[in-house]
Each structure stands twice: as structure tokens, then as C-alpha cells.
Amino acid sequence: FLSLVAEFCFGFFVILILGNFWFLAVLYLLWLYLDWGTPCTGGRRSHWVRSWTVWKYFREYFPIHLIKTSELNPNHNYLLGFHPHGVLVAGAFGNFCTDPPFKNLFPGLTPYLHIMPIWFGCPFFREYIMSAGMVSASKESVSHVLSNKGGGHASVIVIGGAEESLNAHPGSLTLNILKRKGFIKMALKHGAHLVPVFSFGENELFKQVANPKGSWLRNVQEKLQKIMGFALPLFHARGVFQYSFGFIPYRQPIHTVVGSPIPVKQNLNPTTEEIDQLHALYLQKLKKLFEEHKSNYGIPAHKSLIFE
């Protein structure tokens, strides 16, 4: 969905340049230059955009649910680790970039969904995604959000990143997380409490072409991901008037479960050992969250998370 909107915005910008409105394109480029750093300094959210009626229908289509398991004190800042990436990341968008799901369950907290910086280079599209509460996933951006002295900020990071989308097959429980420790270091530096979040149903929205590790397709996808910064999963789902083939996601319920916070004491210069210890604790809490709730959402008792 975001890709389609980005293409539309870019196309509109090209029309301005090629048409009789090139001066508007020049003015926008000037604005883009002056406003370039905004995605790294908290963005520019709009309650009006986040409350559009279309988002209500978007959430009801699947439907998307946000489940609260513990209170989050708004006097603290939090780093929410979102799992899994899936193809669409629908749970993250529906719950953290639209009102009122998160706002109602966690009053006093403002969520910021961190996404790849490349998206903020697209004309006009950057204004839209910032309005929804999305900001850059750069270290500078995460630090800005978690540095709020009064607390009340929640950085939402899809830990597995674009690479994990290549594992987004129905029934897959593989998470790319063993080597991802940057978010742990960031939480320690800012004393932000860690919160594991698991979105049940995220991998069920699309069927992806078989791409096991070592296959020629997976090798090509991984090479392209390293070059471009984002992955290209080959997926399909349903059409508008038929269910056999198309690119509209299946109507599968998504239950995004927000776990209990892991208290983190600020440490401006954490050692490798301290980072590894907190990372291991985070994995333990994430697995516990999954095990406690998997039976509620159709996951067989014998299936567990796989960390890579």
C-alpha cells in the first residue's frame, strides 16, 4: 500500500516538472532541502491524518486488534520491538500510525514508527508518512525520540527489518534477531524500557513464492536487498472480485500483543557483555510472550519461535 502511494506521489511530482507547474516543483525542492532533517527530529504528525475514516475500514478489513497485557507508565520512554515484519507490516501501521487503538489503550504515550530513511526522499510521500507518525529508523532519529526528558515517547522498531520479509510465509515463525543488537544498545544509552511486541497473523496475509535459503531466488533477493536497502519478496494473495490470485491481502485477523516492559537502567557506555545480557533477556521475554498467547490465535502447541 505504501509503495503504491509513493509511486503516485512521485508520479505527481514528475507531472509538475514536465507540465506548466515546474515552478511549484522548484518551490517544493527548496522546501525539501530546508526540511530534510525533520524525519530525524520527531517528524510532523497530524491527528487529522491519523484519524481519517479510511483507516477505520483498513483496520476492520483484516481485522486488526491491539492487545494490552501490561500498563506502560507514561513517565518513561519505551522502545517497542515489533515482530514479525511480514510483507505488509499491517499490524504496525494499523496500530501505531492510526488513531485511536494505541491512544486508547496507552494514554499519555506517543508512538513513533521508525522506517527506512529511503522513504523520506520521495517527494510529497514523505509529508504523508510523517503525518501518520512515521519517522526515520536512523540512530539520530531513535535517539531524538528516546531523549524526551518528560517520558511519554514510544519508539516502535520492526527489529527483523526488510530482510525478515523474505521469511514471511504463512505459518513461518522465523525471526531475524540474533545479530540485531543495535536496538538494545540504544535502549541502554537512553534508559528506555524494552517492550516485546508480537503480531499474530502478520505472515498470513500473503503467499510468497518459495525462496528457501540457498536457492537462486533467495540469493538474488538478498543481493538486491543489500544494494537497495529494502527487500523484494515475490508475493500474491487475492483479487478484488475473486480469491484465487491478486495483490490484495487476505482477510486474516491480526492480533498485535504488547508485552510487559523490561526495565532498563541508563548506561551511556554499555559493554558488549551488558548488551548481550539484555539481548538474551529480551529474547527470553519475547519467547515467553509468544508461548503465553499462541494458543489464543491458532498456533499449534508444538510450534515455537525460531531465532536466526
Side-chain angles (χ1 to χ4, degrees):
F1 176 76
L2 289 179
S3 298
L4 291 176
V5 177
E7 290 174 9
F8 173 81
C9 291
F10 185 77
F12 179 70
F13 182 71
V14 172
I15 291 174
L16 288 181
I17 295 176
L18 300 179
N20 295 324
F21 301 98
W22 59 267
F23 61 94
L24 292 178
V26 172
L27 287 176
Y28 182 79
L29 287 175
L30 176 60
W31 161 256
L32 191 62
Y33 173 76
L34 296 174
D35 193 58
W36 190 256
T38 301
C40 293
T41 54
R44 188 169 45 246
R45 70 179 52 226
S46 166
H47 175 68
W48 175 67
V49 172
R50 290 172 59 91
S51 301
W52 282 351
T53 303
V54 66
W55 303 137
K56 175 177 178 291
Y57 294 121
F58 174 80
R59 294 192 302 267
E60 291 178 349
Y61 171 80
F62 298 96
I64 296 174
H65 304 279
L66 185 64
I67 291 86
K68 174 182 179 180
T69 64
S70 178
E71 295 291 339
L72 297 182
N73 189 333
N75 293 325
H76 298 296
N77 291 319
Y78 297 88
L79 195 159
L80 278 62
F82 184 92
H83 312 271
H85 184 287
V87 171
L88 190 64
V89 206
F93 179 81
N95 287 311
F96 304 116
C97 295
T98 70
D99 289 332
F102 190 86
K103 183 178 179 181
N104 285 351
L105 287 180
F106 302 98
L109 282 180
T110 302
Y112 295 82
L113 179 60
H114 296 271
I115 63 175
M116 291 184 297
I118 190 174
W119 291 112
F120 296 98
C122 182
F124 299 113
F125 180 67
R126 68 188 297 273
E127 319 303 333
Y128 159 68
I129 56 180
M130 280 196 288
S131 295
M134 288 179 251
V135 292
S136 172
S138 67
K139 292 180 180 179
E140 177 189 355
S141 177
V142 177
S143 291
H144 180 87
V145 172
L146 298 181
S147 295
N148 190 43
K149 294 183 179 179
H153 281 187
S155 280
V156 183
I157 302 178
V158 184
I159 305 299
E163 182 183 356
E164 193 173 85
S165 66
L166 300 178
N167 290 328
H169 296 272
S172 174
L173 295 172
T174 300
L175 303 181
N176 291 65
I177 191 173
L178 291 181
K179 295 181 180 180
R180 296 179 182 265
K181 301 179 181 179
F183 73 104
I184 298 292
K185 187 175 182 179
M186 195 64 68
L188 282 166
K189 283 190 171 184
H190 295 280
H193 296 350
L194 282 166
V195 182
V197 178
F198 195 87
S199 196
F200 292 89
E202 199 75 45
N203 284 339
E204 320 307 316
L205 306 184
F206 296 93
K207 292 179 180 178
Q208 191 172 165
V209 175
N211 60 341
K213 284 186 176 294
S215 65
W216 69 268
L217 175 58
R218 185 60 167 257
N219 290 336
V220 170
Q221 289 175 320
E222 290 177 346
K223 288 179 180 178
L224 289 175
Q225 190 264 324
K226 290 179 180 179
I227 295 172
M228 299 184 297
F230 56 89
L232 292 173
L234 298 180
F235 60 89
H236 64 88
R238 53 163 290 185
V240 178
F241 303 110
Q242 44 79 28
Y243 294 86
S244 58
F245 185 82
F247 298 100
I248 297 175
Y250 293 115
R251 298 192 70 175
Q252 295 289 339
I254 298 172
H255 295 87
T256 304
V257 184
V258 180
S260 301
I262 303 170
V264 177
K265 185 177 180 180
Q266 187 173 25
N267 183 347
L268 296 177
N269 296 292
T271 64
T272 301
E273 183 180 1
E274 290 169 331
I275 293 173
D276 289 344
Q277 288 178 349
L278 184 56
H279 186 261
L281 177 60
Y282 179 85
L283 294 183
Q284 178 185 332
K285 295 294 184 180
L286 173 60
K287 187 171 183 178
K288 180 181 178 183
L289 176 71
F290 174 81
E291 293 295 331
E292 289 178 346
H293 294 273
K294 67 180 184 181
S295 62
N296 297 331
Y297 308 116
I299 307 295
H302 68 278
K303 300 199 72 174
S304 297
L305 294 178
I306 299 173
F307 297 143
E308 288 187 346

